[in-house]
Amino acid sequence: MKKILLAAGCLSLLFACNSRGSSKKKEAAKEPQSATEAVFDNNDYHTLSNADEVLGKHLALDIEVDFKQHRIAGTATWDIEKKKAGADKFIVDTRELLIDSIKYGDGTKADFELGEADSILGAPLSISLKPETKQVKIFYRSTKNATALQWLEPAQTFGKKEPFLYTQSESIHARSWIPVQDGPGVRYTYNAKVKVPKGLMALMSAENPQALSDDGIYNFKMDMPIPAYLMALAVGDIKFQAIDKRTGVYAEPAMLAKAHKEFEDVGAMVHKAEELYGPYRWGRYDILVLPSGFPIGGMENPKLTFCTPTILAGDKSLVNLIAHELAHNWSGNLVTNQTWNDFWLNEGFTIYFERRIMESMMGKDYADMLWEIGYQDLEAIVADLGKESEDTHLRLNLKGRNPDEGLTDIPYEKGGHLLRLIEQTVGRSKMDAFLTKYFNENAFKTMNTRDFTEYLNKNLLNEVTEWKAKVNINEWLYAPGIPQTCPRADKLRFNKVDTATAQFLKGDMSFSQKTGKWSTFEWMHFLRKLSKTPLSPEQMKALDQAFQLTQTQNSEKADLWYLLALKNKYEPAYPAMEAFLMVTGREKFLQPLYKEMMATAEGNKMARTIYKKARPNYHPLTQRVIDEIVK
Ligand code: BES
Ligand code: ZN
C-alpha cells in the first residue's frame, strides 16, 4: 500500500527527487559541531521566520479566490507577541508571494523587506516593528507558482461544470499561499473570511459551513492553535451529508452518495479511536473527497480530513486511510513534530494508532495483514536507500534539503514498528496508558525525538530494568537499517495466500474458489508475490478471466495488476491502465507505473503518449516528479 513515496523509493512525493538546494543556514541558530551534536540539534532549518523572538499568535485572513487569474488575494493580519524584549522585526515565510503593502494595526504604513529567495525555503518577509506594535496587516497575492495550490478546470472534476481549488500545505507549502511562520513548531489560532464565486462552497481546516452561502462569502474560525502545515482551503461544487451528529462527508454532488456509503462507519471509528487514546478534541470530524487529481492519499487537516477518491472501492476496504488521518488528530495535530527531522513522531505514531483502530474494528488477523504489508514496504525502502543510509535513521537530518525528501516509508513503518516493539515489551495495557498520558500531557505542544526518549524512559521504560535494553531505542533512532528486534506480524491470512500462489504457479486454479473472501490486502500480497516471477500470456489470461483484474474498481489492486501486466507484456490490460492513468493523480500509483513503462523501449513510447494526455490532470508538483521519470 502506502505512503506517498513508496516502493519506487524516490523520496519525492510532491517534489522532484533529490532536489538539493542552497538553503541558507539560520544565522541565529548555533551550528552543531559534530555528528552527535547534530542529532541533538533541534533547530528548525526549514523556516526563515523568527517565531522565537516575535510570534504570530493569531491570524485573521481576508481573501478572495479568483479562478480566472488562478490567484488568491487579500490580507493576512497577524496579532503578534514579543518573546524577546526589544525585538524590532516580525519575520514570516513566503514563497513566490507578491507583497503589495503592509500596515500596522493603527492603519499607518509599515516598512518591510522581502529577502532573497532560497530555492527550497522561499523568501523571508521581514516587517519592522515599533515598540508599541501589536498587529500587522499584510496585503498580498499568490502567484502561478504557488506550490500548495491545484486549480482544476471544470473538465478535471467529477461534475465537469465548475472549477475546483484545493491546497496541500504539508510540509512547507503554506508559505506559498499565506505569509506565515511556517514551521511545525509554531502554533497559532485563526479566523478567515473567504470570498468565492457564487454557487461554490468554501471549506477550511476550521468550523465549516454545511450549506451554500448566498453571496459567496464564508467565515471560518479555528480557535485551537495549529501549525501552518495544517492550513487548508478547498473551493468547488461541494455538498454535505451527515454520517452522525459530529461526523459527515463533503464531496462533489456526483460523488456524494458513493462517499457517504463508503464512510458510513466513520462515526463508529471516531468512538473506537476515543476508546483507545482519549477524547477527540477538535469538535467535528468531517471528510472531504477531492477530485481525482489529489496527489496523495489523505491529509489530516483539522476538523476536515482531505482524501483521494481512489479509496472509494465500493466495499469499505480502503478505509484504513481514514483511520490514519483520524489518528493524526492525536499524533500530529495535538502533539506535533517539532521539526521535519522528527517527522516519525507524526507518522510512525499514526501508523501504530491507525492499525490499533483497524484491529478494534476488524480483528487481529486483519490488522496483522496491514503490519505485514507495512513490513514489506519497510524492507523495500531500506533495500532502496541502502541499509547503511542515514536516511533510514528514524531521526532524520534534512538540513539543507527539501523536507519532502524525508517522506519515505522509514518514518512511517520503522516508526510504527518501534511502537509495536515497545508495546510487545511492556504489554498492551501499559502501552495504552502511556500513550493516553502522552497525548494529554503534550496536547497542543510540539515534541522532538530527544525529549520523547526522555519522556518514554521516565514514564514507561524505567519501570523494569530489562525494558530499556530490550527496546534499545537509540538503535532505532540513530542507526540505519531494520533492527534485529523489529517485530513481525502473524501471517495467518497471508499463509493461505502463499498456498494459493504456489497452486497457481503449478497451474492449479482450484484456489479461486476461496478468493471470494479475500480483502484488498490479500490481493495485494498475492499480486506482490506474483510480481517476483515471470508469468506467461496464458497465466496472465487465466488470472484476468478468473478475477476480472483488468476491470477492477479497486485502485490498489488495479495499480499492482497493471504493473504485473507491464512486466509480463499483457496487452489486453493496457487500455484500462491508460484510462486509470488519465483519471488518477495519486503519485504513489503513478510513479511505479511510469517507471515500469520507461524500463523498456516499447514502454517508453507508451509512457510518452499517455503522459502527454494525462499530464494536465496531475498536481503541479506531481508533474515535476513524473517529468523527471518520463524525460
Ligand atoms: N500527513 C500525511 C501526508 C503528507 C505528509 C503530505 C508529508 C505531505 C508531506 C498523511 O497523513 C499521510 O500519511 N497520507 C498517506 C496515507 C497512508 C499512510 C494511509 C498517503 O497519502 O498515502
Ligand atoms: Zn500520515
Side-chain angles (χ1 to χ4, degrees), residues 4 168 170 296-298 300 324-325 328 343 347 407 412:
I4 325 219
Q168 170 54 40
E170 192 178 13
I296 59 174
E300 66 270 27
H324 180 94
E325 305 313 333
H328 269 306
F343 187 51
E347 298 299 343
L407 197 52
Y412 287 83

Side-chain angles (χ1 to χ4, degrees), residues 116 240 276 281 378 399 427 431 456 491:
E116 198 192 317
F240 172 78
L276 282 165
R281 306 222 203 178
L378 179 57
K399 189 170 162 188
M431 179 71 174
L456 175 73
K491 288 191 221 36

Side-chain angles (χ1 to χ4, degrees), residues 320-337:
N320 68 295
L321 185 134
I322 299 299
H324 180 94
E325 305 313 333
L326 171 64
H328 269 306
N329 286 290
W330 288 257
S331 43
N333 299 5
L334 265 193
V335 187
T336 308
N337 53 209

